[in-house]
Amino acid sequence: MQQVKKQIDLSIIVPFYHGNQYMDSLMLCLQRNICEVPERSIEVILVNDSPNEHIEISKDYFERIDIRLLTHKINRGIHAARLTGLESARGKYIIFLDQDDELLEHALITQFQTIRDADMVCANAYVELPSKQRKILYPNLFVHQWVKWLWAYIYMGNRIISPGQVMLRKSSIPTFWRNEGYLLKKNGLDDFFLWILLLRSDSKIEINPSIVYSHRYTDANYSLNYNNMTQ
């Protein structure tokens, strides 16, 4: 008899690729946010897509956070890593967080408060520039609202800098995006693909004006690779 997975409130899925230098800061920000919502059951799923390297996390975090580690036998890319985490996830809601980025204080509180009956909620974010200065991604509510409009993605490119600023209802994630037969090979494309599929299915999107997320600039960061996006 197949065992039924017990549903919890939220699964935070983090693809890992040679990212041990980010683990301390990642675990610290997750612990801080999870402790702010003790009434919520939350799991963190790290998917190791660099099987020749072990994920290094202090054992203290395993005592404070529900952490699960999954490992690919071969490198498969970020879309496949997110799907591996999603298949294992027990959460009603999903956050896909990059290993080198950060959830700011009160991120989970405000996202839970805002999503209500929507399929997804998109919060505001800081974007780190090559100079290490930070700018606000959406300078006003009008620009923030573009995340709801399909035409903006088609004519202006991805309106969401990273899936870390989004909380998704798991049941609303399109089957087409979850189909391994349609894996996108170029990193940085799968989240753009996900938003377009959600908009095409008339998903309900809420706007959270709070800045809950910080997108770190690194040479290895593919989210701003517009050549990949174009292809």
Side-chain angles (χ1 to χ4, degrees):
M1 182 176 179
Q2 186 178 9
Q3 186 176 5
V4 178
K5 290 187 292 187
K6 179 183 177 181
Q7 188 176 70
I8 62 177
D9 292 313
L10 172 67
S11 298
I12 302 174
I13 299 170
V14 186
F16 174 95
Y17 183 74
H18 298 300
N20 277 315
Q21 67 269 37
Y22 304 117
M23 287 301 101
D24 280 344
S25 59
L26 175 69
M27 289 297 114
L28 187 61
C29 84
L30 290 177
Q31 177 186 305
R32 180 180 65 228
N33 270 279
I34 291 170
C35 287
E36 288 182 335
V37 284
E39 72 281 7
R40 299 284 188 174
S41 54
I42 298 171
E43 66 178 357
V44 176
I45 303 173
L46 288 104
V47 183
N48 188 352
D49 198 38
S50 49
N52 60 331
E53 179 178 343
H54 294 292
I55 300 177
E56 298 174 2
I57 299 174
S58 170
K59 64 179 181 180
D60 293 340
Y61 287 115
F62 286 91
E63 298 173 359
R64 303 167 189 162
I65 308 173
D66 179 3
I67 302 173
R68 286 191 287 142
L69 305 179
L70 307 176
T71 301
H72 283 167
K73 293 181 179 180
I74 59 172
N75 173 255
R76 300 184 59 209
I78 196 167
H79 191 179
R82 286 172 175 159
L83 290 186
T84 296
L86 186 61
E87 183 179 354
S88 177
R90 298 170 292 166
K92 178 181 179 182
Y93 300 104
I94 301 291
I95 292 177
F96 293 114
L97 188 64
D98 290 340
Q99 64 184 9
D100 55 350
D101 291 331
E102 179 185 7
L103 290 178
L104 303 179
E105 191 175 8
H106 309 319
L108 297 185
I109 290 176
T110 62
Q111 292 288 68
F112 273 122
Q113 289 173 343
T114 311
I115 194 167
R116 295 186 284 272
D117 64 339
D119 299 292
M120 64 178 271
V121 55
C122 178
N124 210 339
Y126 286 122
V127 180
E128 187 176 87
L129 304 174
S131 64
K132 299 303 180 182
Q133 291 183 317
R134 295 195 304 182
K135 71 172 184 178
I136 297 175
L137 179 59
Y138 309 119
N140 54 61
L141 185 58
F142 176 72
V143 174
H144 200 165
Q145 293 282 344
W146 291 353
V147 304
K148 295 182 175 183
W149 301 338
L150 181 60
W151 67 264
Y153 295 78
I154 294 172
Y155 293 106
M156 302 170 66
N158 201 347
R159 298 294 87 204
I160 300 174
I161 197 69
S162 175
Q165 65 187 99
V166 172
M167 181 182 287
L168 292 157
R169 188 179 298 275
K170 184 182 179 183
S171 60
S172 300
I173 297 175
T175 302
F176 197 86
W177 189 84
R178 300 167 69 157
N179 189 326
E180 296 231 1
Y182 300 107
L183 282 176
L184 296 183
K185 303 300 182 183
K186 287 190 175 291
N187 289 330
L189 286 176
D190 62 289
D191 48 328
F192 190 20
F193 185 39
L194 176 56
W195 314 140
I196 289 174
L197 288 172
L198 284 163
L199 288 164
R200 286 280 292 176
S201 61
D202 296 323
S203 296
K204 183 177 180 181
I205 301 173
E206 291 286 355
I207 298 297
N208 178 4
S210 302
I211 299 174
V212 307
Y213 175 82
S214 182
H215 184 274
R216 180 179 288 139
Y217 174 87
T218 70
D219 291 337
N221 196 314
Y222 290 96
S223 295
L224 294 177
N225 190 326
Y226 294 110
N227 288 330
N228 276 3
M229 293 291 179
T230 301
Q231 292 179 41

Coordinates of all heavy atoms in Angstrom, one line a residue, residues 17 21 27 72 80 85 99-100 107 131 133 141 143 145 147 149 155 158 167 178 195 204 209 214:
Y17 N 24.2 23.9 -6.2 CA 25.2 23.5 -7.2 C 26.5 24.2 -6.8 O 26.7 25.4 -6.9 CB 24.8 24.0 -8.6 CG 25.8 23.6 -9.7 CD1 25.9 22.3 -10.1 CD2 26.6 24.6 -10.2 CE1 26.8 22.0 -11.1 CE2 27.6 24.3 -11.2 CZ 27.7 23.0 -11.6 OH 28.6 22.6 -12.5
Q21 N 29.5 27.8 0.0 CA 29.9 29.1 0.5 C 28.6 30.0 0.9 O 28.7 31.0 1.6 CB 30.7 29.9 -0.5 CG 30.0 30.3 -1.8 CD 30.2 29.3 -2.9 OE1 30.1 28.1 -2.6 NE2 30.3 29.8 -4.1
M27 N 20.9 29.3 5.6 CA 20.2 28.6 6.7 C 19.9 29.7 7.8 O 18.8 29.5 8.4 CB 21.2 27.6 7.3 CG 21.4 26.4 6.5 SD 19.8 25.4 6.2 CE 19.6 25.7 4.5
H72 N 21.0 14.4 -6.9 CA 21.0 13.8 -8.2 C 22.3 13.0 -8.5 O 23.3 13.4 -8.0 CB 20.9 14.9 -9.3 CG 19.6 15.6 -9.4 ND1 19.4 16.8 -10.1 CD2 18.4 15.2 -9.0 CE1 18.1 17.1 -10.1 NE2 17.5 16.1 -9.4
A80 N 15.3 20.7 -13.5 CA 15.2 19.3 -13.0 C 15.3 19.3 -11.5 O 14.6 18.5 -10.8 CB 16.3 18.4 -13.7
G85 N 12.7 18.4 -6.1 CA 12.2 18.9 -4.9 C 10.7 19.0 -4.8 O 10.1 18.6 -3.8
Q99 N 20.1 29.3 -4.1 CA 21.1 29.1 -3.0 C 21.8 30.3 -2.5 O 22.2 30.5 -1.4 CB 22.1 28.0 -3.4 CG 23.0 28.4 -4.5 CD 24.0 27.3 -5.0 OE1 23.9 26.2 -4.6 NE2 24.9 27.7 -5.9
D100 N 22.0 31.3 -3.5 CA 22.8 32.5 -3.2 C 22.0 33.7 -2.9 O 22.5 34.8 -2.8 CB 23.8 32.8 -4.3 CG 23.0 32.9 -5.7 OD1 21.8 32.6 -5.7 OD2 23.7 33.3 -6.7
A107 N 9.6 37.9 5.7 CA 9.2 37.5 4.4 C 8.1 36.5 4.4 O 7.0 36.7 3.7 CB 10.4 36.8 3.7
S131 N 28.0 46.8 -8.7 CA 28.7 47.7 -7.8 C 28.5 47.3 -6.3 O 29.0 48.0 -5.4 CB 28.3 49.1 -8.0 OG 26.9 49.3 -7.7
Q133 N 25.7 47.9 -4.8 CA 24.6 48.7 -4.4 C 23.3 47.9 -4.7 O 23.3 47.1 -5.6 CB 24.6 50.0 -5.1 CG 25.8 50.9 -4.7 CD 25.6 52.3 -5.4 OE1 25.4 52.3 -6.6 NE2 25.9 53.4 -4.7
L141 N 3.8 50.8 -7.3 CA 2.8 49.7 -7.4 C 2.4 49.5 -8.9 O 2.1 48.3 -9.3 CB 1.5 50.0 -6.6 CG 0.4 49.0 -6.6 CD1 1.0 47.7 -6.0 CD2 -0.7 49.4 -5.7
V143 N 4.3 49.6 -11.6 CA 5.3 48.7 -12.2 C 5.2 47.3 -11.7 O 5.3 46.3 -12.4 CB 6.7 49.3 -12.0 CG1 7.8 48.3 -12.5 CG2 6.9 50.6 -12.7
Q145 N 2.5 45.8 -10.7 CA 1.4 45.2 -11.3 C 1.6 44.5 -12.6 O 0.9 43.7 -13.1 CB 0.2 46.2 -11.5 CG -0.4 46.7 -10.2 CD -1.3 45.8 -9.5 OE1 -1.8 44.8 -10.1 NE2 -1.6 46.0 -8.2
V147 N 3.6 42.3 -13.3 CA 3.8 40.8 -13.1 C 2.5 40.1 -13.4 O 2.5 38.9 -13.6 CB 4.3 40.5 -11.7 CG1 5.6 41.2 -11.4 CG2 3.2 40.7 -10.6
W149 N 0.5 40.8 -16.0 CA 0.1 41.0 -17.4 C 1.0 40.2 -18.4 O 2.2 40.4 -18.5 CB 0.1 42.5 -17.8 CG -0.7 43.3 -16.9 CD1 -1.8 42.9 -16.2 CD2 -0.6 44.7 -16.6 NE1 -2.4 43.9 -15.5 CE2 -1.7 45.0 -15.7 CE3 0.3 45.7 -17.0 CZ2 -1.8 46.3 -15.2 CZ3 0.1 47.0 -16.5 CH2 -0.9 47.3 -15.6
Y155 N 6.7 41.2 -24.3 CA 7.3 42.4 -25.0 C 8.5 43.0 -24.2 O 9.3 43.7 -24.7 CB 6.3 43.5 -25.3 CG 5.3 43.0 -26.3 CD1 4.0 42.7 -25.9 CD2 5.6 42.9 -27.7 CE1 3.1 42.3 -26.9 CE2 4.7 42.5 -28.6 CZ 3.4 42.2 -28.2 OH 2.5 41.8 -29.1
N158 N 11.2 38.9 -18.6 CA 10.7 38.4 -17.3 C 10.5 39.6 -16.4 O 11.4 40.4 -16.1 CB 11.8 37.5 -16.7 CG 11.2 36.5 -15.7 OD1 10.1 36.8 -15.2 ND2 11.9 35.5 -15.4
M167 N 5.5 33.1 -3.7 CA 5.0 31.9 -3.0 C 3.9 31.4 -3.9 O 3.0 32.1 -4.3 CB 4.4 32.3 -1.6 CG 3.8 31.0 -0.9 SD 3.1 31.4 0.7 CE 4.6 31.7 1.7
R178 N 5.7 20.8 -15.0 CA 6.1 19.7 -14.1 C 6.5 18.4 -14.9 O 7.0 17.5 -14.4 CB 5.1 19.3 -13.1 CG 4.7 20.5 -12.2 CD 3.4 20.3 -11.4 NE 3.6 19.2 -10.4 CZ 2.9 19.2 -9.3 NH1 1.9 20.0 -9.1 NH2 3.1 18.2 -8.4
W195 N 6.0 31.4 -15.1 CA 5.1 32.6 -15.0 C 4.1 32.7 -16.2 O 3.0 33.0 -16.1 CB 5.9 33.9 -14.9 CG 7.0 33.8 -13.9 CD1 8.2 34.4 -14.0 CD2 7.0 33.2 -12.6 NE1 9.0 34.2 -13.0 CE2 8.3 33.4 -12.1 CE3 6.1 32.5 -11.8 CZ2 8.7 33.0 -10.8 CZ3 6.5 32.0 -10.6 CH2 7.8 32.2 -10.1
K204 N -4.8 33.4 -10.5 CA -5.0 34.6 -9.7 C -3.7 34.9 -9.0 O -3.1 34.1 -8.3 CB -6.1 34.4 -8.7 CG -6.4 35.6 -7.8 CD -7.5 35.4 -6.8 CE -7.8 36.6 -6.0 NZ -8.9 36.4 -5.1
P209 N 3.4 44.3 -1.6 CA 4.3 45.4 -1.8 C 5.6 45.4 -0.9 O 6.5 46.2 -1.1 CB 3.5 46.6 -1.5 CG 2.4 46.1 -0.6 CD 2.1 44.7 -1.0
S214 N 16.1 39.5 -1.4 CA 17.3 40.2 -1.9 C 18.0 39.2 -2.9 O 18.3 38.1 -2.6 CB 18.2 40.5 -0.8 OG 19.4 41.2 -1.3

